[in-house]
Amino acid sequence: MNDLISRLLAHERIRAARHHIERTDEVTLARQAALSAIPAPTGAEGRRAAHLADLFREIGLSDVSIDHAGNVHGWLGKNGRREAGEVGGPVVLAAHLDTVFGAEVDVAVERRGQRLEGPGISDNARGLAALVAVAEAMVAARVPVARPILFAATVGEEGSGDLRGVKHLLNGKHDVTPAAFIALDGAGLDRVIHRALGSKRYHVTFRGPGGHSWAAFGVANPANAVGRAAALLADLPTQQAPRTTCAVVRLGGGTGLNSIPQEAWLDLDLRSEDPRALAQLDVTVRAALERAADDENRRRTAGSPTLRVEVQLLGDRPSGMTPRAHPLVKAAVAANRALGRDAELASASTDANVPIALGIPAIALGAGGKAGDAHLATEWYENVEGALGIVRALLVTAAMTEVI
């Protein structure tokens, strides 16, 4: 794979594409700022998607469209799509459209030298700008590819979006079965994310009869059950190999200071890199929730109604891994080495989770530069080696698409 990356660096068209990326670095930064300034809360990405579609057409991608989920598609090579049933498939280079910020957040961007400041400026305006930059460079340099490339901007990657966009993209109804999938997510140049951090998110509600805090004292109390559940979950053994976690992230309930609540709730975030470990944790957590309800019911006044527990699944992100020895991972490591940077093989929750779980080789990469305060209104991005991150994405994409 080192030899392949070396050959790509010497390839006339790849060299031209790299030069295009480097000389249009300021254009990429301007696009990043413009994209970040378009509000794109999860579930309301339409304006940003329309802008991406316009950019895709402007730079010369073919068959540009927005699908029913809201994902933006643009194609390069072999007249766009392959015929259904044809051996092989496209390389997908993707970046997510949405941010963690609600519609009420001011997403204006300020520039101070090389630093851009604004909510979502790195996650994921940087990934989107890099997606456009790679596509534009390959079109401008007329890079000859044996496999078509689908450039995709996806909806619903963050939080409650539950990877909705990429799940729709790969649901088997679009004749898209990628040979490889590369997600561009945020800033950075060192990490190669090849392990998908899976998660299950639950909203758990305990419901009971409620009543006056004095007159009805002794009935099964949903607030007590929430406390018992939280304590049981906090006491679960910590698993380090593979690392597996369960966190109580929110809780609430009740109506007044002198009322036993009729319902109380807590939200849970379960995570693991290993699907079997996550499944086992799921069983353990559900048993703990039932035990909390049983313990509270045993202590209630005889003859009073029991409380019940309801578990609602809010999110289900699959886990898995693209092996270190796979050519896609090796290409990313070799690209880092060729650009003079070490590669850190890492785990995270990204759009790459879904293809990995489907058996499609997938990784996620940062798009160069440095960033901080992710998911905060004070988020920032500095364009230090920013172009180098986009060149890395170009090299990995070219390696997987079999440049002629």
Side-chain angles (χ1 to χ4, degrees), residues 10-310:
H11 192 290
E12 179 185 8
R13 297 299 182 186
I14 296 297
R15 287 169 58 194
R18 177 176 184 173
H19 177 65
H20 187 278
I21 289 169
E22 292 169 343
R23 70 179 177 81
T24 58
D25 196 29
E26 283 297 322
V27 174
T28 298
L29 276 181
R31 286 175 177 157
Q32 182 178 343
L35 285 162
S36 189
I38 301 172
T42 301
E45 303 95 337
R47 282 183 56 202
R48 189 176 284 186
H51 185 69
L52 250 295
D54 287 342
L55 285 175
F56 278 3
R57 295 185 185 98
E58 178 184 311
I59 65 176
L61 293 181
S62 63
D63 297 330
V64 175
S65 63
I66 299 177
D67 66 25
H68 292 301
N71 302 316
V72 185
H73 300 224
W75 289 85
L76 172 67
K78 293 205 171 182
N79 299 316
R81 306 173 188 272
R82 287 193 171 219
E83 295 297 324
E86 186 176 347
V87 176
V91 172
V92 177
L93 187 65
H96 69 85
L97 287 158
D98 58 325
T99 74
V100 299
F101 303 100
E104 75 283 357
V105 175
D106 182 1
V107 291
V109 177
E110 293 187 14
R111 182 166 183 173
R112 295 183 174 88
Q114 283 194 314
R115 175 172 284 202
L116 297 173
E117 298 177 355
I121 189 62
S122 174
D123 184 12
N124 192 33
R126 180 60 187 176
L128 291 169
L131 179 72
V132 175
V134 173
E136 182 179 43
M138 296 188 81
V139 170
R142 301 190 304 280
V143 175
V145 295
R147 291 182 182 274
I149 304 172
L150 170 58
F151 293 90
T154 60
V155 298
E157 190 272 346
E158 297 285 5
S160 61
D162 198 34
L163 306 178
R164 180 174 64 89
V166 70
K167 286 176 179 177
H168 181 82
L169 182 68
L170 302 179
N171 66 7
K173 298 178 182 179
H174 304 285
D175 295 330
V176 177
T177 303
F181 185 105
I182 304 157
L184 299 177
D185 201 330
L189 186 55
D190 296 331
R191 294 206 306 166
V192 176
I193 297 166
H194 73 116
R195 303 192 306 276
L197 178 57
S199 66
K200 286 183 177 290
R201 278 86 179 253
Y202 290 113
H203 181 70
V204 181
T205 306
F206 292 90
R207 303 185 192 278
H212 193 282
S213 57
W214 170 263
F217 184 79
V219 301
N221 188 332
N224 290 352
V226 165
R228 296 183 195 283
L232 288 170
L233 296 174
D235 287 340
L236 291 178
T238 301
Q239 183 172 326
Q240 295 294 346
R243 187 171 183 230
T244 304
T245 62
C246 172
V248 177
V249 294
R250 291 189 299 186
L251 47 82
T255 57
L257 285 172
N258 59 348
S259 299
I260 295 170
Q262 290 184 300
E263 67 176 51
W265 55 268
L266 70 165
D267 287 346
L268 304 177
D269 184 11
L270 287 58
R271 297 192 181 222
S272 182
E273 297 174 0
D274 183 87
R276 290 169 295 183
L278 186 58
Q280 182 56 57
L281 176 63
D282 191 42
V283 171
T284 301
V285 166
R286 287 176 177 272
L289 297 173
E290 292 293 341
R291 179 181 166 186
D294 291 344
D295 286 350
E296 180 61 20
N297 281 328
R298 277 197 298 271
R299 289 166 171 79
R300 78 188 193 281
T301 300
S304 63
T306 59
L307 63 73
R308 64 188 186 278
V309 58
E310 299 173 2

Side-chain angles (χ1 to χ4, degrees), residues 189-192 332-334 336-337 341-345 392:
L189 186 55
D190 296 331
R191 294 206 306 166
V192 176
V333 172
N336 268 49
R337 187 177 296 116
R341 299 298 295 261
D342 292 331
E344 174 194 349
L345 296 178
R392 175 177 70 164

